[in-house]
Amino acid sequence: TDVTLPEGLERLTYQGLTYCHALERIALPTGLKLIGDFAFDECKNLKEIDVPYTVEQISESAFARCVSLEKFSGRNESSDGKCLVVSGTVVALAPCSISRLEIPFGIVGLGSYLCDSCNELTTVVLPQSVEYVGYNAFIACYGLERFEGKFASEDGRCLIVGGVAKAFAPSGLTSYRIDCHAVDCAFSGCATIRELHFGPSVCRMHEHALLNCHSLTDIYMSSPTPPAIYDDVTLKMNPAVTIHVPASSLETYKNDPGWSAYAGRMVPKD
């Protein structure tokens, strides 16, 4: 539950303390320079972090799923202690007791896995200064009801950055329709949605766009051309999902490299 790391330690690297679920307090030594990817991932009971002023680099995913974090202190802390900010990007959040997250004006980016599994979160407000949203920034935020401000969709349910759906607010929804240029990992890890309808404008999808959507039973495609899958790989999703496609494009979808793994689950859409 309580750890003091030794003097002389300079790098806390990939998954250094991942899954230390009982950890509540940790003392980081002066001289530490790097806090790497997923260093504290899923330290569910960690409450506070004092970042030494010698730290030069903090990964965007360093504190993913640290859902009990109450505050940061030391280097890169925000004025309220709730965030770590590096070069204008929020790289970590202390989400405990936060239901409405208002990103301060002047922030230019939200880091990857920033709010992973923050189930108390219901509303996120982005200022006009924000320019980008990282990978899986709001994955598994099942209580999230809406986005407001920059990049929020008209219905407030999605963040759409440069025509790309980056995040989804699933609370209370079992069916949803989206129509934008591309779908990143917006729906990845959404355990509640059952039906997804993709409009005719969707022409690209991330391979993990529908990964771990355990309740998903049906997706409806409107484009006669199968959306390209990022990096020319196969879409990853629950193999039991029924895929409804335009009747005239059924064979095209079945033979497309990104979709062919699910050919047996495809049916013509009325």
Side-chain angles (χ1 to χ4, degrees), residues 243-262:
I243 304 171
H244 305 257
V245 304
S248 60
S249 301
L250 181 59
E251 292 304 315
T252 304
Y253 271 84
K254 284 185 175 182
N255 293 312
D256 185 273
W259 295 81
S260 59
Y262 308 100

Side-chain angles (χ1 to χ4, degrees), residues 19 29 38 56 73 75 93 102 142 149 180 220 224 254 259:
Y19 305 134
F38 300 104
E56 299 170 353
S73 56
R75 186 165 191 180
L93 175 72
E102 296 194 30
Y142 301 131
C180 56
Y220 295 81
K254 284 185 175 182
W259 295 81

